[in-house]
Amino acid sequence: MTNNHPTIRDVARLAGVSHQTVSRVLNDVEKVNPETREKVEAAIAELGYRPSAIARSMALGETRTLACISPNLTDFTFASIIEGAEQEARNQGYFLLSSSSGDPDTFSDLIDELIGHRRVDGLIVINPYADNRYEFTPNDFPVVFVGAYSRDTSISSVSLDDEHVAYEAVQHLISLGHQQIAMITGPLEEDCTQDRIKGYTRALESAGLEIDPSMIIEGDWSATSGQNGLQTLIEQNRIPTAIFAQNDRMAMGVTKAARDFKLAVPEDLSVIGVDDMPLSSYFDPPLSTMKQDMPGIGREATQILIDMVSKTGRPIRQLKISGELVVRQSTAAVRKE
Amino acid sequence: MTNNHPTIRDVARLAGVSHQTVSRVLNDVEKVNPETREKVEAAIAELGYRPSAIARSMALGETRTLACISPNLTDFTFASIIEGAEQEARNQGYFLLSSSSGDPDTFSDLIDELIGHRRVDGLIVINPYADNRYEFTPNDFPVVFVGAYSRDTSISSVSLDDEHVAYEAVQHLISLGHQQIAMITGPLEEDCTQDRIKGYTRALESAGLEIDPSMIIEGDWSATSGQNGLQTLIEQNRIPTAIFAQNDRMAMGVTKAARDFKLAVPEDLSVIGVDDMPLSSYFDPPLSTMKQDMPGIGREATQILIDMVSKTGRPIRQLKISGELVVRQSTAAVRKE
DNA sequence: ATGAAAGCGCTAACAT
DNA sequence: ATGTTAGCGCTTTCAT
């Protein structure tokens, strides 16, 4: 980079004022004589002057940049959160640096680069409990967790109300008359998975249905794991009339397995997921699901983070967002036999 | 942010050396006495000192940050490019700031914020020809275009070899005996769309088949537009035996429309797309497609950009990446009547 | 091999 | 209302 950008002093010289006056015009704080302002603005325009963000950061001690660390950038759920966060950040005059970190090692490297070297003012961590990465977040620095709420109330977080979402999904199946309702979960070590299991359990219990542990199959959020899940159930000869998959991808895998085993969806098997992925409605059959407002979650998280960064009080907030039932054609009333 | 981080001078004081010596140790450039180095390193460890990236940027005149502007962050294709770019950037000691810009206005705002205010050293623009945003990129600044190659050879770019990819997709259909091959395109004003049309045309021509303009329907990359596309063809009673959709989403829309109209895929209609989206193989039927290495494209673009940023020569490069045919079950030999 | 001085481009504090 | 001085935390000369 050639470095012949005009500086604030170049502007000052051309306008015949001190560089400080230029700074005042730029930040239009403190009164400045209208005539002087005009001269300065003319000089700015003539030189095409733009203040250096770096120098500003240097003087102010803030970078006006936030970071978001996500397990990856391509998962639609994560990408939607990031997109919402990025929009909100920019609306508030911040930039968002998003990085993916597959494992705890690169995560702690990132923390060092971003926070240790003071490259950003605040941090959003998506899916903090997928591994033990939450242990690596510094606690004297503004951080918001997204995707699972923290049991530790000293940490800000925004998450889906996982228990409630699962409850509603299962409730939907129950209302259709289903009594054998299986579930494909996410990885059992994730809080999100556990909360959805709670919602499932609560829904069954409040309908007076028994919980059959063999109807609960662990998956890993991937379509393949959903496919394997149904296969496992079938091999064990435990065929439910409905399946609650803890996300849409696994629901799609379940549907594929059902096709392979000549089980008709929804006639033989109702399937419901969580997320409302973009192509859910193009699936065969179009997938019933619990829609979540991921960009909204990203925006909320950013809002809270900026509050923490700018206000000295560091207001800790924990937000839970609700989902919304979307009934398509993958769920139907149980067939009376 | 409380600002009581130790500085290079704190370290110097504790180690009993000048702050300059500390700087030397940090950048281990120039010889420094092993004993002194040890003292300094001890002081660094004791204070938990980490150099400020901002101050470093200030002194060096470079931010070690790149930006990537994309129409959105959630589209799998874009997200994959960004993820590849982010990884490559970090491998090379850079950070990547990714922003979405739906329209040319926010695009030029972004350019001003990022480049005008010198927040980044280089820029990647995804899908520069979707609207006229490429007009807003400064030409005295390192930029790489991704997603469509520039006709202007003074601009670096990395893109899919769109013509070749389309050629191969259509060639696959032809090799299955199809002669009525329709196409659902992207927006006609995008170069990428035009190049794929060229590939389609060339494939048909080299097989001695006629081009029927009414078999070419404009879409907008969305699944819905694919669905509408087939519907239009059917309403006009121009039913092809195969369809080349210029991306997977539209191919999925086509498949849905086919279902609605009781056309069996692939028995009545073969469908092929481009991209190989994650769920393509879970679709019913699993979708044949042209797989593209999007993260690879992102990495290449970043590599070229970093070369431009660091080397003074600004080596302009234009790269075209090939796709790979993935045959699943949505394409089959034409039914002899 | 190490130190001292100057400067990167801004803002804040204190003059006037 | 405007100018002067100092300083943010580094690196790059230039001395020693």
Side-chain angles (χ1 to χ4, degrees), chain A residues 94-126:
Chain A
Y94 283 78
F95 276 88
L96 185 72
L97 229 157
S98 34
S99 300
S100 66
S101 120
D103 57 286
D105 272 0
T106 73
F107 184 76
S108 73
D109 283 358
L110 270 171
I111 295 291
D112 181 54
E113 283 292 343
L114 295 170
I115 303 185
H117 295 210
R118 275 143 290 152
R119 219 176 278 267
V120 300
D121 298 339
L123 176 68
I124 292 174
V125 181
I126 296 182

Side-chain angles (χ1 to χ4, degrees), chain A residues 8-9 20 23 27 49 56 60:
Chain A
I8 200 170
R9 286 169 214 269
Q20 184 47 237
S23 173
N27 302 293
Y49 167 78
R56 207 149 188 282
L60 254 35

Side-chain angles (χ1 to χ4, degrees), chain B residues 186-237:
Chain B
L188 291 178
E189 65 271 21
E190 294 189 32
D191 287 345
C192 161
T193 300
Q194 291 300 335
D195 288 341
R196 292 182 190 184
I197 291 177
K198 268 187 219 153
Y200 164 89
T201 307
R202 187 159 60 83
L204 290 187
E205 278 172 352
S206 61
L209 297 171
E210 245 173 67
I211 313 294
D212 177 353
S214 67
M215 282 291 206
I216 303 181
I217 307 281
E218 181 178 9
D220 63 7
W221 306 122
S222 73
T224 308
S225 74
Q227 189 175 8
N228 295 339
L230 178 55
Q231 198 173 330
T232 304
L233 286 168
I234 290 174
E235 280 164 1
Q236 296 175 352
N237 221 359

Side-chain angles (χ1 to χ4, degrees), chain B residues 4 8 42-43 53 90 94 192 205 263 304 307 337:
Chain B
N4 24 12
I8 199 170
R90 217 162 62 236
Y94 282 78
C192 161
E205 278 172 352
L263 282 173
I304 292 175
D307 280 355
E337 339 228 348

